[in-house]
Amino acid sequence: MDEAAARDIIVEKLKGKKGKSKFYLKDFYAFFPEEKPRTVKKLVNTMVSEGTLEYWSSGSTTLIGLKGVGKQAHAEDED
Amino acid sequence: MAKHETPLLDQLESGPWPSFVSDIKQEAENRAKNANNVEFQVKQDVCEDILGVLELSYKHGRTHWKHGGIVGVFGYGGGVIGRYCDQPEMFPGVAHFHTIRVNQPAGKFYNTEWLRNLCDLWEFRGSGITNMHGSTGDIVFLGTVTEQLEEIFFELTHKHGQDLGGSGSNLRTPSDCIGEARCEYACYDTQALCHFLTNEYQDELHRPAFPYKFKFKFDGCPNCCVASIARSDMSFIGTWRDDIQVDQEAVAAYVGGEFPPNAGAHKDGNWGPFDIQKEVIDLCPTDCMKYEDGKLEINNKECTRCMHCINVMPRALKKGKETGLSILVGAKAPILDGAQMGSLLVPFVKVEEPYEEITEVIEAIWDWWMEEGKNRERLGELIKRQGFQAMLDAVGIDPVPQHVKEPRSNPYIFWKEDEVPGGWQRDVNEFRKYHQR
């Protein structure tokens, strides 16, 4: 997998999803059907560390989205 | 006088059992007095406000928490659970009330100094309210503000050598029994394996990896003191594959009343003299024991490791000498649905470093679940949806009789066409030569 291209695909795909700002990890697997889930998981987690993406956790489940997108940051008084 | 009137909560203190309401009131008093001159980093009256918001929730019959959030510590995707109050003006002390999970030491061995240090940290930078080894099993710190999260994480890791636990779609904090450290029943070193896998799978523990939560639990013997068989997606239960060791002289001592049964645990009851037939032989679930002419015999091939006989007569009966563990998969203990017990996957494996036989199974299961599991679908639900056999195929484990619950009434394992010589096709004329219509 070309990592730089994969990063662009992730950002592009997430921006293209209207009305939804947080996604399950499995949604990211679907962007790369040829790749092993573990490879995609590592890239997604790296992108969180780099600040492109962010986690949202209910405690039991984790969702992932573009950093700062959606109402969450404002609603949580974190911005 | 209390900051908020709490008549509904006060009722909870009137029952026969210790109440969490009394505990929170006690902590509220401690914080108000502040005998140790702590420079509280969250509001001093946080405990008053937690009581206030809970009272309001009881009054309204609805929650006033906004559960979940984006908060966390850098590099980690678990261990912190955001929580916010939807009435922050009324209860400013709990406007932010985040939870932190702390990875408990293997076997829950810690000394009072370590525990005091954690409590001091939490009094200083949090609400002071903790939940020790509740249903998640780990140490839970309840209630702090966003600004304190990194400070707490730094102090935990740098001063106290303590990591965060798991939450969200991660591997959860692995949990084990005290094992060989104090228990003669332990068939493997639970703490060593728990510690090894905690380190081996740091990435899965701290960063979301799965469709949903995943829990490991380690029991040293089939007594299952941490209930791994009922509440972990993958449970590791100690067992043996040779015979139960029997000391006939000690059996006679139990029968003769010299040794108290159950190590004296029930001696205060009016049970009468020990009756080995009634209390051991007749209670064996597979009828694999008999006591005749002063001699106890066990048909070990039929033993299902229920542990009853060993628990009743621990000085006479001991686990076998060739020990290891069984791996079971698919248990879960949800709140709304019924509990589901684990199913046996690997009947016996020796527990030897570097534990490759165990990590191979773990990673094969994870690969299958990550590929096939739906969002928020536990491993046990996937096994039910696709079938145990689909899992065996995916992880490359051959079916064995131990996978079958009742082999004589329900064969359970079905042959596939490529496993049968000639497949499903047959020559009917050849068949009719031997069998009439």
Side-chain angles (χ1 to χ4, degrees), chain B residues 381-395:
Chain B
E381 291 161 332
L382 174 62
I383 295 170
K384 271 172 84 174
R385 181 163 63 82
Q386 291 203 350
F388 193 83
Q389 196 173 11
M391 179 190 64
L392 291 180
D393 281 344
V395 301

Side-chain angles (χ1 to χ4, degrees), chain B residues 326-375:
Chain B
S326 300
I327 302 177
L328 291 87
V329 288
K332 63 194 180 83
I335 298 166
L336 295 176
D337 211 358
Q340 185 173 308
M341 302 290 268
S343 298
L344 183 68
L345 176 64
V346 178
F348 185 87
V349 61
K350 294 282 262 184
V351 187
E352 291 165 343
E353 291 185 63
Y355 309 115
E356 275 173 2
E357 284 183 284
I358 293 170
T359 53
E360 273 173 21
V361 175
I362 292 169
E363 287 165 27
I365 285 283
W366 280 350
D367 284 343
W368 178 61
W369 180 49
M370 287 166 78
E371 193 89 45
E372 298 291 331
K374 294 179 179 177
N375 291 325

Side-chain angles (χ1 to χ4, degrees), chain B residues 88-199:
Chain B
E89 289 85 18
M90 214 183 301
F91 307 107
V94 294
H96 294 197
F97 200 74
H98 307 321
T99 291
I100 293 184
R101 289 195 179 156
V102 180
N103 191 333
Q104 81 281 4
K108 300 187 183 73
F109 273 96
Y110 37 70
N111 59 28
T112 49
E113 185 190 7
W114 182 84
L115 203 51
R116 195 174 297 279
N117 286 337
L118 285 197
C119 290
D120 286 348
L121 168 65
W122 194 237
E123 196 173 32
F124 176 38
R125 296 195 180 278
S127 70
I129 300 171
T130 62
N131 174 2
M132 303 300 286
H133 315 303
S135 54
T136 65
D138 43 17
I139 295 170
V140 178
F141 285 172
L142 291 163
T144 192
V145 296
T146 304
E147 301 77 52
Q148 290 300 314
L149 293 173
E150 289 290 355
E151 306 280 355
I152 292 161
F153 181 52
F154 183 89
E155 287 195 33
L156 271 177
T157 49
H158 290 72
K159 278 195 191 167
H160 307 304
Q162 196 56 51
D163 201 0
L164 295 190
S167 67
S169 303
N170 298 24
L171 172 63
R172 299 305 183 81
T173 319
S175 168
D176 62 333
C177 70
I178 56 173
E180 289 176 344
R182 295 197 65 183
C183 181
E184 65 188 77
Y185 296 158
C187 297
Y188 70 98
D189 189 341
T190 51
Q191 293 181 61
L193 185 59
C194 182
H195 189 254
F196 170 80
L197 293 176
T198 301
N199 286 322

